[in-house]
């Protein structure tokens, strides 16, 4: 296979996965095969959904998954304190270990690919992203460079020794949407990166976004050719992508930013449980909610939940009873 799309998912994000798959089909077509990489073993709903779609398969290369799971463990073992800090917080092993599964795609079946988090909707053709891979090894379209504190440990004095400020301001990216090629990080390259981390560079990693910080480090430290449409497109043509942007305009179930069609919308920062509860009939409001519901129920509109009254804000503070129950660990917070 040549070009394809990978999505990291499990049953926890099932409703988001269905919406994403439907949005890809509606706005990017069926030309690209899609492969779901398992976050973990909770896959009953995912497997059932795959059976209904001819161009979607499950990534089941256990050797590749194991190889890159081990790599993630080795990366964090080079950090002087984080393993013990996670243990003190009750985290066994690696924090958000399943998120590191996206690394195994470097050994996946697609020669070139776009990776997507499940909390995304595709709203435009993806051809231009793949075309850019003819010139570069890593392609993104986001504005994460405005906030390096969620990519690296900006308090580390080592950071500017490893990467000059101008590279940090230009090259960092969000790990939720990117395009790259198979095999760009071979065994020799991985071992070299681990060596640099063991020699002291691991302190610049940001453990609260463990997969994102590693990916940024791998790309930037290796010096591979990278390209960000957010930098390269004329200001008049570029668009935002995050649900936190309130100014997007909707027309025919597509979003526009000052007249320009968005490539994707990322519901970043919204808990998967919000989407599950919404689809179960709970009247919760969040930005671009109806757009999500449109794509989630694109092929089964009769199942779309019907709501009466004003929706409850997703970030509404919990009432006293809920606070008490959470404190007693009877229910989990969002």
């Amino acid at each position: 296979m040549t070009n394809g799309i990978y999505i990291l998912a499990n049953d926890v994000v099932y409703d988001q996965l269905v919406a994403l798959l439907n949005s890809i089909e509606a706005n990017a077509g069926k030309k690209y095969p899609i492969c779901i990489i398992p976050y973990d073993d909770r896959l009953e709903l995912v497997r059932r959904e795959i059976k209904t779609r001819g161009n979607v398969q499950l990534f089941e290369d256990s050797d590749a998954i194991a190889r890159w799971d081990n790599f993630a463990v080795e990366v964090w073992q080079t950090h002087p304190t984080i393993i013990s800090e996670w243990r003190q917080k009750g985290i066994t092993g690696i924090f958000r270990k399943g998120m590191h599964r996206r690394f195994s795609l470097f050994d996946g079946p697609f020669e070139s690919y776009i990776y997507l988090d499940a909390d995304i909707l595709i709203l435009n053709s993806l051809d231009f992203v793949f075309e850019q891979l003819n010139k570069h090894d890593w392609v993104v379209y986001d504005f994460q460079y405005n906030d390096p504190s969620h990519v690296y440990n900006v308090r580390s004095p080592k950071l500017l020794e490893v990467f000059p400020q101008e590279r940090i301001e230009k090259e960092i990216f969000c790990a939720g949407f990117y395009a790259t090629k198979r095999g760009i990080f071979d065994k020799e390259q991985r071992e070299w990166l681990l060596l640099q981390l063991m020699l002291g560079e691991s302190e610049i990693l940001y453990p609260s976004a463990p997969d994102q910080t590693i990916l940024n480090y791998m790309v930037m430290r290796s010096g591979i050719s990278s390209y960000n449409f957010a930098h390269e497109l004329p200001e008049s043509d570029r668009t935002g992508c995050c649900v936190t942007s309130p100014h997007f305009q909707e027309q025919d179930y597509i979003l526009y930013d000052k007249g320009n069609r968005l490539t994707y919308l990322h519901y970043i920062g919204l808990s998967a449980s919000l989407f599950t509860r919404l689809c179960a009939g709970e009247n919760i409001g969040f930005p671009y909610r109806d757009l999500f519901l449109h794509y989630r129920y694109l092929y089964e509109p009769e199942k779309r939940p019907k709501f009466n009254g004003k929706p409850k804000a997703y970030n509404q503070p919990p009432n006293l009873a809920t606070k008490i129950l959470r404190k007693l660990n009877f229910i989990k917070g969002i």
Side-chain angles (χ1 to χ4, degrees):
M1 298 182 183
T2 303
N3 296 336
I5 296 170
Y6 292 113
I7 302 168
L8 181 68
N10 64 3
D11 286 352
V12 174
V13 296
Y14 170 73
D15 290 301
Q16 292 165 289
L17 174 63
V18 173
L20 172 54
L21 291 173
N22 290 345
S23 72
I24 293 172
E25 188 168 310
N27 298 314
K30 295 184 177 181
K31 66 174 71 176
Y32 300 116
I34 299 171
C35 191
I36 310 298
I37 184 166
Y39 182 94
D40 55 25
D41 294 332
R42 293 173 289 179
L43 297 169
E44 180 180 352
L45 297 175
V46 172
R47 290 183 185 276
R48 189 186 310 165
E49 184 66 28
I50 287 174
K51 290 180 180 179
T52 69
R53 299 176 184 265
N55 69 327
V56 182
Q57 62 180 306
L58 189 67
F59 187 87
E60 298 189 271
D61 186 341
S62 57
D63 289 339
I65 291 174
R67 181 163 52 251
W68 286 94
D69 277 356
N70 291 336
F71 173 76
V73 171
E74 289 178 313
V75 166
W76 289 112
Q77 285 176 339
T78 68
H79 195 281
T81 62
I82 195 58
I83 297 293
S84 60
E85 290 174 14
W86 281 337
R87 191 179 300 118
Q88 290 171 10
K89 294 178 181 179
I91 299 169
T92 303
I94 305 300
F95 178 51
R96 298 173 71 185
K97 183 179 179 182
M99 299 297 288
H100 298 79
R101 288 281 178 90
R102 71 191 71 201
F103 301 164
S104 59
L105 306 179
F106 293 125
D107 295 338
F110 303 140
E111 183 177 337
S112 298
Y113 65 87
I114 293 175
Y115 167 83
L116 303 171
D117 277 348
D119 59 344
I120 280 175
L121 294 178
I122 295 299
L123 301 174
N124 207 342
S125 169
L126 296 173
D127 293 351
F128 75 105
V129 180
F130 280 111
E131 289 168 3
Q132 200 58 233
L133 283 177
N134 294 326
K135 304 173 185 176
H136 302 276
D137 291 327
W138 197 270
V139 179
V140 299
Y141 192 174
D142 68 70
F143 300 83
Q144 186 65 54
Y145 55 82
N146 288 319
D147 183 14
S149 68
H150 283 78
V151 173
Y152 292 120
N153 175 11
V154 295
R155 293 173 296 179
S156 168
K158 190 80 174 177
L159 180 57
L160 294 182
E161 296 178 21
V162 180
F163 302 121
Q165 186 66 37
E166 56 267 26
R167 290 194 65 192
I168 294 172
E169 293 174 355
K170 186 174 177 61
E171 296 181 33
I172 66 173
F173 56 87
C174 173
F177 178 108
Y178 58 85
T180 187
K181 303 171 183 176
R182 180 178 60 199
I184 61 171
F185 295 109
D186 58 19
K187 181 179 179 182
E188 182 179 355
Q189 184 74 342
R190 296 197 301 271
E191 290 177 348
W192 183 84
L193 289 166
L194 285 170
L195 177 60
Q196 309 315 305
L197 291 167
M198 285 188 286
L199 291 175
E201 294 185 6
S202 61
E203 72 174 60
I204 75 171
L205 298 180
Y206 176 66
S208 295
D211 55 292
Q212 178 163 277
T213 191
I214 293 175
L215 273 178
N216 273 266
Y217 178 82
M218 291 171 67
V219 173
M220 293 178 64
R221 196 66 175 91
S222 300
I224 64 176
S225 174
S226 61
Y227 181 96
N228 189 341
F229 286 100
H231 284 304
E232 305 298 338
L233 287 176
E235 186 173 355
S236 59
D237 295 342
R238 70 184 67 147
T239 73
C241 58
C242 287
V243 70
T244 50
S245 298
H247 65 278
F248 299 147
Q249 296 180 317
E250 183 178 338
Q251 182 178 342
D252 298 328
Y253 307 109
I254 299 296
L255 294 182
Y256 294 84
D257 187 351
K258 300 175 183 176
N260 296 305
R261 183 170 177 167
L262 267 66
T263 301
Y264 69 102
L265 178 68
H266 195 175
Y267 288 90
I268 192 167
L270 298 186
S271 167
S273 66
L274 286 175
F275 298 87
T276 303
R277 290 160 55 197
L278 176 71
C279 294
E282 188 172 342
N283 193 6
I284 308 172
F286 53 82
Y288 308 108
R289 181 186 81 161
D290 289 344
L291 187 72
F292 166 78
L293 287 170
H294 168 75
Y295 287 106
R296 167 62 182 87
Y297 296 99
L298 186 64
Y299 300 122
E300 43 188 7
E302 73 283 356
K303 294 183 179 180
R304 177 171 172 166
K306 296 177 175 60
F307 303 109
N308 295 314
K310 185 177 180 181
K312 177 178 65 176
Y314 75 97
N315 53 359
Q316 179 177 308
N319 59 33
L320 180 60
T322 301
K323 287 181 179 178
I324 293 172
L325 287 171
R326 287 180 180 174
K327 206 165 192 178
L328 294 174
N329 291 322
F330 284 136
I331 63 174
K332 294 181 179 179
I334 297 172

